[in-house]
Structures are given as C-alpha cells and as structure tokens.
Amino acid sequence: MRKKLGSIVLIMVLVVLAVTGCGGKDQDTTGKTDDVVTGELQDGSYLVKMPVSDHGNYAMAKMEVSNGEISSFNYMEILADSGEEKSESNYNYPEGLEVIKNLNEQFNEKKDLNEMNFDAVSGATHTKENFKDIVNQLLEKASKGEKYEAVYKDGEYTEDADEGSHGWKAGVKVVIKEGQIVGVDYYELAEEDMEGNKVVFDEDKKPVTESDGKHKTEPVQIKAGDRKSVENYAYLDSFDVVKGVQKQIIDNNGTENLDLDGITGATNTKDTMIELVSKALESAK
C-alpha cells in the first residue's frame, strides 16, 4: 500500500513540475521564423509578388544577390488601383508605414530573418507575416537560381475604347514597375449630361433593400466627364467585376490564362476591360 501511495505522490509531483515548466515565463520568440532551408545563394535578381488582397493592396519585393551575398533588398506594399506604393499621401495608417520602413532597414543590415526583431515597431501584424513569407520565397528562389527577368517596360500605359456604350466610354491605365503589372485602373466616363440612378445606402454603408428584394435607388444627375461610380450608377455588380478582373490581371501579370469562372455578371464590362488592358500592354513590351 505504501509503495502505491509513494508512486502516486511521485506521479503528482512530476505532473506539477511539468505544468509549472509550461506555465512559466513566455519564451522570447522575437526573430524566430519558420524559414525555409536554403543552399548557397546564386547571383542575380529575384522578385516575388503576392496576390492582391480583398482590401485592394498586396506585397511585392525584389532582391539582388552578388558574389553569393544579398546586395540589395526592397519590400513594398502596393495599391492595386494606382500602382503606387503605400505612403503618407495615400495610406492612412502611419504605424503600418513605419513597420515597412523598419523591416526593410533591419533586413538590409542583418540579411537574416532570425536576427531581426519583429517587435521593434508595434502593429501591422499582417505586414510582418507577409514580410517573412516573401523573404523566404526569395531566398528559396535565389538558392535554386530562379532568376527574375522583367516582362514589360516600366511606365504608365493608357488605352481608351473607340466608342462608348449606353452613354459611357471606357478607358484604362496600366502601371508597370520592375517589369510587373502593379496597378490597373479601369474607368468609364459619361459622354454627355444625362440622368441616372444610384443605390441608397444605410448608415452602415449597406444597400437598402425594398420589399421586392431589389435595391432601393434614387435619381441622380450625371454630367459629361463624370466617372461611373456608386454615386451615379445603380448596377453594383459591375464594380465587383472590375475588382475581380483587376486582381486576376495583376496576379497573373497579364491578360492570358485568366481564371474568370468566379467572376459573373457585367460581361461587356469584363470583356472591354480585358481588351483595353491587352492593347495597353502592347506598348509595354
């Protein structure tokens, strides 16, 4: 009986010690990442562009390797509409901008994710995760020698439709940076003064629905040159289509082999947008 009691006591002591060990001070994980195992880096230029997010922005980074060492690195976050990097003039989140700046400075100095302090600047958790992911992808490419070659010439390229449709004339501006499509701005401008309708939104910015299930609308006056928007056009699906096609073009860096199965409605808008972007890109090759 005493042996059994002794065994029970010993087990309880071990359990307490184990729990105490697990519940002690938080371990410092600053700088520790799930980085990939890479071999020797091969000289060349390497680039990774992340998919456009639901918020209309995405990350992209370029890295140069010389004599087996990282000679330059630049991580940026870009707005899909304009192709501009996030800055104080177009992005209202100073902490996020400071995080991007700090991470770039740290990696260019230390060239090792495990040596970085990701808590040096608080906030922007998603940016920090994207940064780790994109660096690991670049290191993997550099270890395999999967060098980047620019597809297009940097610059801004525009194309307008030959004629309008239902009072609106379409156009597009495509922005190229580092040989990549970084911005696609598709627009339709009113050809003349006309009457239109817009959807009524509630205080939560959600469309007001009538008893028949349709969106409540109200009349609006449109002037020649006005850009089509939710303020003067009631077919909201068309704006979703534009965003969907924009994402596909930027993610695929072109208009070929697009996966458009999930983008329904506004077929004319979709076809016109792809056609205009394709024409604009001809000047960028």
Side-chain angles (χ1 to χ4, degrees):
M1 182 68 178
R2 289 182 178 179
K3 289 184 178 181
K4 288 185 177 180
L5 287 173
S7 298
I8 293 173
V9 171
L10 178 59
I11 292 172
M12 292 178 65
V13 170
L14 291 174
V15 170
V16 170
L17 288 174
V19 172
T20 303
C22 293
K25 294 182 179 180
D26 293 336
Q27 294 184 357
D28 181 14
T29 58
T30 301
K32 294 184 179 180
T33 65
D34 296 327
D35 54 340
V36 296
V37 178
T38 60
E40 183 177 342
L41 303 183
Q42 300 185 37
D43 290 1
S45 298
Y46 302 92
L47 183 141
V48 170
K49 182 170 70 176
M50 305 289 275
V52 177
S53 73
D54 293 338
H55 300 292
N57 58 72
Y58 60 95
M60 186 172 84
K62 188 178 182 183
M63 182 176 75
E64 300 284 345
V65 176
S66 179
N67 297 321
E69 299 289 339
I70 298 172
S71 56
S72 68
F73 170 87
N74 185 39
Y75 170 93
M76 65 196 84
E77 292 187 357
I78 301 173
L79 305 177
D81 284 338
S82 64
E84 297 176 339
E85 292 185 42
K86 290 179 180 178
S87 66
E88 293 180 354
S89 64
N90 60 29
Y91 189 64
N92 188 27
Y93 183 30
E95 293 85 354
L97 298 176
E98 186 60 30
V99 166
I100 293 173
K101 178 182 177 182
N102 177 265
L103 294 179
N104 270 318
E105 290 176 349
Q106 284 198 64
F107 189 75
N108 274 294
E109 176 186 352
K110 300 176 180 179
K111 299 177 174 57
D112 186 341
L113 287 175
N114 290 318
E115 295 297 323
M116 293 176 60
N117 178 8
F118 284 89
D119 294 326
V121 179
S122 61
T125 302
H126 192 60
T127 289
K128 294 174 182 177
E129 293 304 316
N130 275 340
F131 187 91
K132 296 174 186 177
D133 187 12
I134 213 167
V135 167
N136 280 326
Q137 289 188 51
L138 284 168
L139 292 174
E140 185 173 13
K141 285 180 178 292
S143 67
K144 295 179 179 179
E146 297 176 351
K147 301 175 184 178
Y148 170 69
E149 294 184 6
V151 180
Y152 306 105
K153 296 180 293 185
D154 286 5
E156 296 183 358
Y157 302 88
T158 60
E159 189 70 32
D160 293 322
D162 294 331
E163 56 185 23
S165 175
H166 303 291
W168 300 94
K169 189 174 182 180
V172 70
K173 180 176 76 172
V174 180
V175 182
I176 308 293
K177 184 181 179 70
E178 301 291 359
Q180 287 282 312
I181 299 174
V182 295
V184 176
D185 182 23
Y186 173 83
Y187 50 85
E188 293 184 19
L189 305 179
E191 295 185 286
E192 58 185 5
D193 293 352
M194 57 184 175
E195 294 183 353
N197 291 285
K198 70 174 183 177
V199 172
V200 177
F201 292 86
D202 61 22
E203 58 184 13
D204 295 323
K205 297 183 179 181
K206 294 181 179 180
V208 175
T209 303
E210 300 276 30
S211 58
D212 59 2
K214 296 181 180 180
H215 291 156
K216 181 180 180 180
T217 62
E218 61 183 18
V220 62
Q221 290 295 321
I222 302 171
K223 295 183 179 180
D226 283 354
R227 179 168 176 152
K228 182 185 285 186
S229 70
V230 294
E231 295 299 323
N232 57 28
Y233 194 68
Y235 185 38
L236 300 182
D237 287 351
S238 65
F239 302 110
D240 293 333
V241 167
V242 169
K243 289 299 181 184
V245 175
Q246 176 196 66
K247 171 179 169 57
Q248 284 286 318
I249 292 173
I250 293 176
D251 289 353
N252 289 278
N253 203 40
T255 56
E256 298 180 0
N257 303 316
L258 301 180
D259 182 9
L260 303 174
D261 292 341
I263 303 176
T264 58
T267 302
N268 184 60
T269 296
K270 178 168 53 181
D271 293 343
T272 300
M273 183 175 179
I274 294 173
E275 179 185 356
L276 292 179
V277 171
S278 297
K279 289 182 178 180
L281 289 175
E282 290 177 3
S283 301
K285 295 179 180 178

